[in-house]
Amino acid sequence: MKSLFFIILMSCGLSQKIDYELFESGKRGNHYKIWIYFKDKDGSELINITEETKQRRQKHASKIDNSWYDLKVSANYIRAIEAIGIDIENESRWLNAVSIVCSQKDIEAISLFSFVKKIKPVKGYKKKYFNEININQLDGRELDYGDADTQVEQINAHLLHEQGLTGQGIRVLLLDTGYDLSHDALNHINVVGQKDFINDDNQTANENEFEQNINQDDHGTKILSIIAANSPGNLVGPAFEADFLLAKTEDVSQEWQQEEDDYVAGLEWGEVNGADIASSSLGYADWYSETDFDGNTATTTIAVDIAVSLGLVCVTAVGNGLAIAPADADSVISVGAVNNIGEIASFSSRGPTFDGRIKPEVCAQGVNVWAVSGDSNSEFINIYNGTSASTPLVAGAIALIIQGMPALSPMEVREAVLMTGSMADEPNNTYGWGIMDAYAALSYWSTSSIKNSKSCPVNYNILKTYPNPFNPLINIEIQSTGELITDIAIISIDGHYIENIFRGKISNSIQTILWEPDNISSGIYFVKLINDKNQSLYKKITYLK
């Protein structure tokens, strides 16, 4: 007999008729896999977070460690769901939801719960990562990258290695199919945590004969090697001394279908365990329509935006053919693929997003990329092609940037990477902002983004322009350590005056000016600061319609 508590909870729930056509994308045989979203977090408890997470959030996040996102899903609501004989598959604090597998009758019962906000399918997808296609210690010396030198040097990661940046102390979360650490080039890797979200254990390598037969961990192992291998003369990844969190979220069986909830669970796990960067060579498309790639609809896209708001840099493959989720997020760094001489790969997805934003953000080598061989513990191959291969190169280079400039927020990192790309002056929907330049991005927030027409003023600085690129408006922060009368104007890339947005005195303070363009075209502009001593500064900004 159901308890009075259960009966009360069942009353006054969702009253609208359930549209089962909506749930077809979540159908698994005779059952459905669904998200149950709750109205609140009544009686929820805070999770414990690592010291690394606290420190990262204090520096970068818009949320603090006792935020709403750290409250667990209500235990009362979970017990109510379980009371009708349903097991919880995954639980998401960020979405305030749980995923389950249930019958049509169960959906009807769940819809009556008063605390249920909405019910949505957990959408499946066919994998969009690439397949195999045939086409020393650092001590001030240059590293020997072997045949893989082009993929590292094309994005100027080697110049950061020469400065002593190796990713040391930076925590990287990978979301992929699994990871076999037995290859000689991977023996050194500092793995601080592993989690298998498919089998619900801590074993991310193949753990049974079935997984071995389907090469479950093959893709993830190769992606890990591209970012982290350390085999001088063969393959050295950009971030070979970083710390790694390895999340096994992708099941390569069952007609290559997998669930988005494992991705979200992996991202939440990595964030709360102190990750600085999340890198995923994955994509979600088949169960979405083109209109869903608007930066606000797909479940994984929403999760990525939350992760960035909590201080986590998120890097993902733009896709092979179609710009898909979560690459459509407006805070992510999506990565396209070029060949070894910088030509765009035919398979690299083009933008724009449905709402008109440029994709990808940047590119790196994704054709004939070197990685470890899955058939040997000592051999290497270069037959990998796809935006999956270019993504860990960019993520690894970003680890070096964060090591060199640890105070940067995720959106400042994103701005630096975009505004120093090889096509930053003319971004487009093929290359985005161009091939990444890690060396220039590291310098962006110090000197490379500021140009002086005469002498550099000692008492003024354009601190931030955010978001950049922007639409519809941008914040411009000016810092003064003295007192001068200042004019701030917007100038077009060809030198034409657009408008003056500030004139006044700034004295030993930070002034934020908000600018919303009126009746101008998309493109590159400059913020020009000039004071009464005729000293000037320029900062490049990008306006996107």
Side-chain angles (χ1 to χ4, degrees):
M1 177 178 291
K2 295 180 175 63
S3 66
L4 177 62
F5 171 73
F6 176 80
I7 294 171
I8 293 173
L9 286 173
M10 286 288 288
S11 64
C12 301
L14 300 176
S15 58
Q16 69 270 26
K17 182 179 179 181
I18 298 172
D19 179 6
Y20 284 101
E21 289 186 7
L22 175 68
F23 293 102
E24 284 302 305
S25 61
K27 198 166 186 180
R28 309 295 188 265
N30 294 323
H31 287 74
Y32 299 87
K33 190 160 189 181
I34 61 172
W35 284 109
I36 307 170
Y37 291 81
F38 302 119
K39 292 180 179 178
D40 54 45
K41 291 192 173 185
D42 182 53
S44 300
E45 298 179 353
L46 280 170
I47 61 167
N48 295 319
I49 61 175
T50 65
E51 190 61 35
E52 290 83 0
T53 301
K54 292 179 182 178
Q55 292 174 3
R56 188 201 67 234
R57 290 186 183 179
Q58 286 171 357
K59 287 192 297 183
H60 307 313
S62 60
K63 311 293 181 186
I64 56 177
D65 61 357
N66 62 347
S67 71
W68 185 88
Y69 292 121
D70 291 336
L71 287 170
K72 297 179 181 178
V73 175
S74 170
N76 291 334
Y77 301 162
I78 289 176
R79 284 197 297 269
I81 299 296
E82 292 175 334
I84 58 177
I86 296 174
D87 294 328
I88 305 297
E89 295 283 317
N90 272 311
E91 176 182 334
S92 172
R93 306 184 313 278
W94 294 354
L95 303 178
N96 194 26
V98 295
S99 64
I100 66 170
V101 176
C102 65
S103 66
Q104 180 174 323
K105 183 178 180 180
D106 293 327
I107 294 176
E108 293 169 354
I110 291 165
S111 70
L112 298 176
F113 282 120
S114 61
F115 53 79
V116 171
K117 180 179 180 180
K118 61 183 176 181
I119 303 172
K120 295 177 64 178
V122 176
K123 296 181 179 180
Y125 73 102
K126 294 191 177 179
K127 289 199 179 301
K128 294 296 179 183
Y129 59 66
F130 66 87
N131 297 316
E132 295 181 29
I133 308 170
N134 286 321
I135 55 170
N136 301 307
Q137 296 295 319
L138 182 70
D139 57 5
R141 301 189 304 268
E142 291 186 2
L143 292 172
D144 183 359
Y145 302 101
D147 291 325
D149 56 352
T150 301
Q151 64 199 52
V152 176
E153 294 177 5
Q154 187 184 62
I155 57 174
N156 280 337
H158 66 298
L159 298 180
L160 302 192
H161 289 160
E162 291 174 7
Q163 295 186 23
L165 299 174
T166 61
Q168 189 173 38
I170 304 304
R171 191 164 289 192
V172 180
L173 165 68
L174 292 186
L175 301 123
D176 218 288
T177 65
Y179 315 90
D180 180 357
L181 304 179
S182 63
H183 195 282
D184 294 344
L186 303 178
N187 288 338
H188 73 288
I189 292 178
N190 183 29
V191 177
V192 296
Q194 300 186 64
K195 179 71 174 178
D196 181 346
F197 291 89
I198 300 169
N199 301 306
D200 194 24
D201 58 33
N202 296 321
Q203 170 65 277
T204 62
N206 292 338
E207 53 185 288
N208 53 53
E209 185 177 355
F210 175 72
E211 289 193 337
Q212 189 68 41
N213 289 338
I214 61 173
N215 292 321
Q216 171 69 40
D217 63 18
D218 182 72
H219 183 262
T221 301
K222 290 178 171 61
I223 296 304
L224 176 61
S225 74
I226 294 170
I227 188 175
N230 187 12
S231 179
N234 297 303
L235 173 62
V236 177
F240 59 90
E241 287 192 337
D243 300 330
F244 287 89
L245 291 162
L246 304 180
K248 178 180 175 181
T249 64
E250 300 304 305
D251 186 352
V252 302
S253 65
Q254 300 179 7
E255 297 182 351
W256 303 88
Q257 286 191 344
Q258 175 55 5
E259 324 301 341
E260 291 177 295
D261 57 339
D262 286 343
Y263 183 102
V264 175
L267 196 57
E268 291 188 20
W269 171 79
E271 189 280 327
V272 82
N273 280 284
D276 299 295
I277 307 166
S279 180
S280 63
S281 294
L282 308 165
Y284 301 76
D286 283 13
W287 300 105
Y288 288 114
S289 66
E290 183 179 351
T291 60
D292 292 324
F293 301 130
D294 60 358
N296 297 303
T297 299
T299 302
T300 51
T301 298
I302 294 169
V304 161
D305 283 339
I306 293 171
V308 173
S309 78
L310 293 169
L312 184 63
V313 177
C314 290
V315 184
T316 195
V318 73
N320 299 338
L322 175 70
I324 56 180
D328 66 315
D330 54 15
S331 60
V332 80
I333 299 172
S334 65
V335 184
V338 295
N339 63 17
N340 63 337
I341 60 173
E343 298 171 337
I344 197 69
S346 60
F347 53 75
S348 185
S349 295
R350 274 68 163 170
T353 59
F354 180 73
D355 57 325
R357 287 174 291 114
I358 289 177
K359 290 290 174 176
E361 269 70 27
V362 289
C363 293
Q365 187 172 339
V367 178
N368 291 342
V369 173
W370 282 90
V372 301
S373 171
D375 299 323
S376 166
N377 288 343
S378 60
E379 295 180 359
F380 300 85
I381 57 173
N382 75 325
I383 58 173
Y384 258 30
N385 301 269
T387 56
S388 282
S390 54
T391 299
L393 290 169
V394 169
I398 288 174
L400 308 183
I401 294 168
I402 295 175
Q403 183 185 2
M405 296 282 284
L408 295 182
S409 70
M411 294 306 283
E412 288 170 335
V413 170
R414 184 178 184 273
E415 178 179 338
V417 170
L418 270 60
M419 300 307 288
T420 56
S422 64
M423 298 180 63
D425 290 344
E426 297 180 289
N428 60 43
N429 282 305
T430 300
Y431 290 89
W433 279 258
I435 297 170
M436 182 186 184
D437 185 338
Y439 182 78
L442 178 67
S443 305
Y444 178 79
W445 287 107
S446 52
T447 58
S448 69
S449 63
I450 300 175
K451 302 177 182 178
N452 297 319
S453 60
K454 295 189 177 180
S455 59
C456 181
V458 295
N459 52 353
Y460 272 82
N461 188 21
I462 302 177
L463 285 181
K464 297 179 181 178
T465 52
Y466 60 92
N468 190 15
F470 71 98
N471 182 9
L473 48 81
I474 188 169
N475 295 276
I476 302 164
E477 284 189 6
I478 310 297
Q479 182 183 39
S480 165
T481 55
E483 180 176 296
L484 290 174
I485 296 174
T486 302
D487 278 287
I488 301 173
I490 305 298
I491 309 296
S492 69
I493 194 169
D494 56 1
H496 290 94
Y497 173 86
I498 303 298
E499 67 173 296
N500 187 278
I501 60 174
F502 178 85
R503 178 173 175 79
K505 187 181 293 184
I506 304 177
S507 179
N508 295 309
S509 63
I510 295 177
Q511 179 83 32
T512 300
I513 298 99
L514 189 66
W515 180 52
E516 184 171 4
D518 181 27
N519 196 30
I520 66 171
S521 60
S522 297
I524 305 295
Y525 296 87
F526 289 98
V527 179
K528 179 182 179 181
L529 181 154
I530 186 167
N531 61 35
D532 57 0
K533 296 186 182 298
N534 205 30
Q535 298 171 314
S536 60
L537 291 173
Y538 293 82
K539 184 66 178 287
K540 185 190 298 181
I541 58 176
T542 302
Y543 176 46
L544 299 178
K545 283 189 174 180

